[in-house]
Amino acid sequence: MRIRRILAAVIATAALAGLGLTGAATATAATAQGAPSYVTPSQCTQGGGTADLTDNTCKGGMYDGEQID
């Protein structure tokens, strides 16, 4: 009986530690994927958009509306 309680406590601790690591990884990934404030014309094109150099903005694609540096 005592071994079962110890084993249950170890499993619960490991599960909670795993959730903490997963949450930290998710927070890091969300931060890393934020859109940059400026993109290059080649980044705009690679993202599926068209670089409009008259307005200095990316039209369409992943960086739609972002300013071109």
Side-chain angles (χ1 to χ4, degrees), residues 3 5 7 11 14 17 20 23 25-26 28-30 33 41 44 53-54 59 65 68:
I3 293 175
R5 279 188 257 160
L7 184 59
I11 291 172
T26 303
T28 304
Q33 292 180 354
C44 178
L53 299 178
T54 58
K59 304 286 183 178
I68 295 178

Side-chain angles (χ1 to χ4, degrees), residues 15-28:
L16 290 175
L19 287 176
L21 293 175
T22 303
T26 303
T28 304

Side-chain angles (χ1 to χ4, degrees), residues 2-65:
R2 185 175 174 182
I3 293 175
R4 286 185 189 171
R5 279 188 257 160
I6 292 172
L7 184 59
V10 168
I11 291 172
T13 303
L16 290 175
L19 287 176
L21 293 175
T22 303
T26 303
T28 304
T31 304
Q33 292 180 354
S37 57
Y38 291 99
V39 295
T40 63
S42 63
Q43 285 175 324
C44 178
T45 304
Q46 289 173 358
T50 304
D52 184 2
L53 299 178
T54 58
D55 293 341
N56 286 337
T57 57
C58 183
K59 304 286 183 178
M62 183 179 6
Y63 300 110
D64 186 35

